[in-house]
Amino acid sequence: MLTLLARILKVLNSEASPWQIGWGIGLGLLAGLLPFGLLTLLILLLVCLLTVNLATFLLVWGLCSGLMFIFGDALESLTWQYAQHPALLQLLAKSETLQLFHLHHTLVLGAFVLGILLLLPVAWLGTILVKQYRGRVMSKLQQWKVVQMLKASKLVQLYENLN
């Protein structure tokens, strides 16, 4: 738990732009909601091509994958109710592209739709929260004597050099 907190603080205090961290959160959420497959690999490719914070992406991906074990059944049953529309069933049955991405499975379809709906608001909210943290909290933490003493210690400098 402490290493997770340390990684989050390291990303928040890094030189990465708030947008890189925000998009890392949004795309990590999208990848974490989806079962591993071709869609997840395309998201991973997108993360590698864009300047998204990879540490944030991987952290959020792992956390959201764990949440899908809890909420996956509810999401699948909700999607099943909407997937019974005849036009959607016909589209899903005939389209080879959608079958290639496994969007004919109700869990994948529901997770993809939910992830796409949440992508922009989560990325925007993550960006705003990083800016707020850096503007208000980080500057005040840097002024604390305890933090200044810890930063000056040889052990912390050695740890930072190893990373």
Side-chain angles (χ1 to χ4, degrees):
M1 185 68 178
L2 288 177
T3 58
L4 179 65
L5 181 63
R7 287 183 185 191
I8 292 171
L9 289 174
K10 185 175 181 179
V11 167
L12 288 174
N13 294 328
S14 71
E15 294 296 320
S17 81
W19 281 106
Q20 289 174 327
I21 297 171
W23 278 105
I25 294 169
L27 290 170
L29 173 78
L30 179 59
L33 290 176
L34 293 170
F36 191 80
L38 188 58
L39 277 173
T40 310
L41 291 175
L42 286 175
I43 294 167
L44 190 58
L45 177 67
L46 184 66
V47 166
C48 291
L49 292 176
L50 300 175
T51 55
V52 173
N53 189 284
L54 188 61
T56 306
F57 170 77
L58 293 173
L59 180 69
V60 174
W61 182 10
L63 291 174
C64 290
S65 294
L67 288 177
M68 279 308 288
F69 284 115
I70 299 169
F71 299 114
D73 291 336
L75 181 63
E76 187 172 14
S77 65
L78 180 68
T79 307
W80 179 256
Q81 293 174 0
Y82 291 102
Q84 296 304 312
H85 192 274
L88 181 61
L89 287 173
Q90 189 176 24
L91 174 70
L92 293 173
K94 289 184 178 179
S95 175
E96 293 176 5
T97 306
L98 293 178
Q99 290 180 5
L100 180 67
F101 291 122
H102 295 285
L103 288 173
H104 60 287
H105 295 291
T106 53
L107 178 62
V108 178
L109 179 63
F112 181 70
V113 169
L114 180 64
I116 291 296
L117 288 174
L118 292 175
L119 178 64
L120 288 176
V122 167
W124 177 77
L125 182 64
T127 302
I128 296 298
L129 290 175
V130 169
K131 287 179 182 177
Q132 291 295 319
Y133 168 80
R134 288 182 178 173
R136 294 183 180 177
V137 178
M138 191 171 100
S139 60
K140 290 183 181 173
L141 282 178
Q142 299 297 330
Q143 296 172 355
W144 287 5
K145 296 283 186 192
V146 174
V147 173
Q148 292 173 1
M149 287 174 25
L150 283 174
K151 281 187 148 187
S153 74
K154 300 243 184 227
L155 184 62
V156 171
Q157 290 174 358
L158 178 65
Y159 177 74
E160 287 179 352
N161 288 337
L162 290 175
N163 285 333

